[in-house]
Amino acid sequence: MARDREPVSTSTSEQRREDAAAWSPGARYLAEFFGTFLLVLGGVGTALFTAGFPSTTDNQTGVGFLGVALAFGLAVMAGIAAVGHISGGHFNPAVTLGLLAAGRTDGRHVPGYLVSQLLGGLAATSVIAAVLSGKQGAFSAAVDSGFASNGFGASSPGGFGLGSVLLAEAVLTGVFVAVILSVTAKQEYQALAPIGIGLTLTLIHLVSIPISNTSVNPARSIATAVYGGAVPLGQLWAFIVAPIVGGVVAGIVVRLVRRRDRH
């Protein structure tokens, strides 16, 4: 019993303060499921329901790119505030693997985190698909438009090629992971960590929505590609590989340059 209650990580001040070791693995995995569900539901839901409302040609009340970027940032902020003290608030396979590379997550629990994140994202897009099915033609229109999936070439909102997309996704994911590692390591930033992480994700979306429709999160990309059709599924590998590479490289760099304890 005591072994099952060993912490995933006590590396963040929030987890130490909230006694993360008291949470069971099941609670942590459920927290990651919920947080990823909230992130995908909020961000992708805004992209599909609100960004172009009432239509892409008469977008007088739709929120556009700025609204979608804010939706992703607000969703991750809310998720971290709600369950970050339980699981660390990753909600993203690239973040989990980046924290693992930085030595900030227990590797024994990484498979459970990854599965929970993938299932949470898929549950969110399934809810969105079910809601779209309640209006005639809405679901098929969303599928025809790619279901807010990520893409390159003709599937990139701005027509950017594969090389540009891979570079942007890797670099921006690395920046995101580096920010997470920094703000969660400092006790004085405890209260501001969810805000800092949320605003960073918002900024990343503002930069890269025209490039790739912004992934920086394989769980988000898989969740939308499942409903997006053959083209998003065929290009999905790029949005799994690039964010993971970026996150892991950032984790390794932070681990190498972090301040050493004085003896």
Side-chain angles (χ1 to χ4, degrees):
M1 181 66 68
R3 187 176 183 82
D4 290 340
R5 297 172 72 83
E6 290 177 4
V8 171
S9 173
T10 56
S11 61
T12 70
S13 56
E14 183 179 36
Q15 286 181 303
R16 291 192 294 269
R17 186 179 72 253
E18 298 294 340
D19 190 18
W23 297 99
S24 68
R28 298 167 190 148
Y29 303 153
L30 184 60
E32 285 297 303
F33 176 94
F34 171 77
T36 312
F37 175 86
L38 178 61
L39 175 63
V40 175
L41 184 71
V44 175
T46 300
L48 289 175
F49 292 119
T50 317
F53 187 85
S55 72
T56 55
T57 56
D58 183 23
N59 188 18
Q60 296 180 1
T61 58
V63 298
F65 283 177
L66 176 59
V68 173
L70 284 170
F72 275 101
L74 291 171
V76 78
M77 191 186 308
I80 293 170
V83 298
H85 62 287
I86 300 174
S87 67
H90 300 185
F91 317 147
N92 181 339
V95 171
T96 296
L97 294 173
L99 267 62
L100 177 66
R104 297 270 295 271
T105 291
D106 190 334
R108 292 172 297 172
H109 299 282
V110 165
Y113 270 42
L114 299 183
V115 170
S116 299
Q117 292 157 0
L118 294 177
L119 292 177
L122 286 168
T125 50
S126 296
V127 169
I128 293 170
V131 173
L132 286 168
S133 298
K135 177 181 178 181
Q136 186 175 2
F139 176 73
S140 59
V143 172
D144 291 342
S145 67
F147 213 86
S149 296
N150 306 112
F152 54 83
S155 298
S156 160
F160 288 87
L162 176 60
S164 297
V165 166
L166 290 174
L167 180 61
E169 287 288 330
V171 170
L172 291 173
T173 307
V175 168
F176 188 47
V177 169
V179 169
I180 291 171
L181 286 167
S182 179
V183 300
T184 58
K186 300 176 182 179
Q187 186 173 359
E188 59 269 30
Y189 292 166
Q190 288 175 0
L192 296 177
I195 299 173
I197 293 169
L199 290 177
T200 301
L201 189 59
T202 298
L203 175 61
I204 285 170
H205 277 78
L206 289 174
V207 171
S208 60
I209 288 177
I211 301 171
S212 62
N213 213 22
T214 311
S215 171
V216 300
N217 186 338
R220 171 259 193 268
S221 297
I222 292 169
T224 50
V226 165
Y227 288 99
V231 174
L233 284 171
Q235 297 186 349
L236 180 59
W237 66 270
F239 303 99
I240 297 174
V241 172
I244 288 175
V245 169
V248 169
V249 169
I252 293 171
V253 170
V254 170
R255 187 171 191 168
L256 290 174
V257 302
R258 70 185 177 187
R259 184 175 59 185
R260 297 290 187 264
D261 294 332
R262 294 180 179 178
H263 297 288

